[in-house]
Amino acid sequence: MSSNPNNQTTLDQPVERRSFIKWATIGWAAFIGVVGGYASILIRYLFPNVLFEPKQSFRAGKPDEYVIGEVSERFKDLHGVWIVRETDKIYALATVCTHLGCTPTWMPGEAKFKCPCHGSGFYKNGINFEGPAPRPLERYLIGFNDSGEIVIDKTKKFQYEKGEWDDPQSFIAA
Ligand code: FES
């Protein structure tokens, strides 16, 4: 206890101690908040949100796994590719409509790809013949690896209207 100039008794010391504890608590809380904030930023930096896309290049088995005259939908969902085998060659068509990018449906009974969005139609070889699609489907680079497996590389496309389907990298002889 102490006295003030008016000779009154006060409780200065306990009040000061309480005040100190209060401010110390606030200080620690602020410190922990700042450190926690930096820690969460650091964790976000170390573990960013990353979208894992399927690989752009993939193996697609041996040629004899594909039936002559048929369209294989084996890699449609995972890689967005139809593999078409004709009597003398195999090629990989992109499953992307050249109108506005929808995914056409392969209709074996009519031997065509039909886009559900605006009705574009494409022959089995990818050439457009009906609807608003302005050009054929695109083909991807296709070749063999050392084990004789088909490898498709989606980083390289071939467009019919540019004469690129004659490029030997746009098909394999089979
Ligand atoms: S996106 Fe295929 S017809 Fe429009």
Side-chain angles (χ1 to χ4, degrees):
M1 287 204 229
S2 64
S3 32
N4 64 21
N6 298 330
N7 242 2
Q8 291 176 319
T9 338
T10 62
L11 301 171
D12 281 349
Q13 279 188 343
V15 168
E16 281 173 13
R17 190 177 302 129
R18 263 184 266 138
S19 177
F20 172 77
I21 291 170
K22 181 177 122 190
W23 285 109
T25 304
I26 291 171
W28 271 109
F31 175 74
I32 289 168
V34 169
V35 170
Y38 279 120
S40 69
I41 290 170
L42 181 65
I43 288 169
R44 295 288 299 158
Y45 174 77
L46 293 175
F47 302 98
N49 284 338
V50 176
L51 289 175
F52 292 98
E53 292 187 356
K55 286 167 65 176
Q56 292 294 294
S57 175
F58 64 96
R59 291 177 296 151
K62 299 282 178 75
D64 59 12
E65 294 175 31
Y66 298 94
V67 179
I68 292 173
E70 290 195 358
V71 171
S72 170
E73 300 206 276
R74 185 170 155 189
F75 298 103
K76 178 186 174 189
D77 292 338
L78 186 57
H79 293 292
V81 171
W82 286 298
I83 296 180
V84 184
R85 180 167 188 182
E86 294 186 355
T87 48
D88 58 345
K89 61 183 157 188
I90 295 175
Y91 46 84
L93 284 176
T95 62
V96 180
C97 178
T98 52
H99 179 222
L100 292 176
C102 291
T103 303
T105 302
W106 169 240
M107 306 178 78
E110 299 176 47
K112 71 177 184 182
F113 298 98
K114 185 72 175 171
C115 185
C117 292
H118 313 98
S120 289
F122 305 85
Y123 294 123
K124 186 164 63 179
N125 62 6
I127 300 286
N128 54 311
F129 68 93
E130 65 180 351
R135 58 192 180 84
L137 299 175
E138 295 176 340
R139 296 184 182 181
Y140 291 122
L141 189 152
I142 188 168
F144 290 108
N145 63 13
D146 293 342
S147 308
E149 289 176 300
I150 297 170
V151 176
I152 293 162
D153 183 350
K154 294 174 61 182
T155 61
K156 172 73 177 157
K157 291 178 180 174
F158 297 87
Q159 294 178 229
Y160 171 80
E161 64 276 18
K162 293 182 180 174
E164 294 174 341
W165 285 6
D166 294 329
D167 189 315
Q169 289 186 306
S170 71
F171 63 89
I172 52 177

